[in-house]
Amino acid sequence: MLVLITGLVLFLGVHSLRVVPGARPALQSALGETPYKLAYTAISLVGFGLIIYGMMLAQPVAGTVWAPPVWTRHLAFTLVPLGLILIVSAYAPGHIRHWVRHPMLAGVMLWAGAHFLANGERAALVLFGSFFVWSLVTFVSSWLRETPPPVVKGWGGDLTAIVLGALAALIIMNLHMYLFGVAIIG
């Protein structure tokens, strides 16, 4: 579990720099733009790798904290595709991005919250709980700090986000057993 927690601290820590006023610009000016980006990327990748490795180590021995009710799995089946649509809409200018302002964070919040409720293993609760709290804090901080992106004419970006998000959800649902050891369908 220590490897998982270390990975979460590294990955979410570096992604939390925007929440701390002045931290990101100070680091950028101290290190320089390119070294900052390289360090940010390296810490993120090491953290992500430790999260994956930590989950592999923790799964068989971490233990079960609770037995989630069946309805939580149905809720996850609904919320995760919506989260993926939001995540894709972060890259597709449209009304969704304008209304939500930070669809990537909102999508991660839905994904993590749904998985947190649908899992009872200690390692999963630590993983998804950490991502949920991080995305919630960062979302609220960003919402208060920044103005909404401009309104885009037309619905092409929104339609793209919905189609690609739904397609990603279908692919992940079909591969979930092979990727994560838990069957969602079939």
Side-chain angles (χ1 to χ4, degrees), residues 44 77 95 104 144 169 180:
S44 295
F77 197 77
H95 296 85
M104 174 75 74
L144 295 173
F180 309 109

Side-chain angles (χ1 to χ4, degrees), residues 55-81:
M55 281 299 287
M56 290 167 49
L57 292 175
Q59 278 307 88
V61 294
T64 301
V65 175
W66 74 304
V70 173
W71 66 267
T72 61
R73 297 188 191 275
H74 298 295
L75 182 65
F77 197 77
T78 303
L79 292 180
V80 170

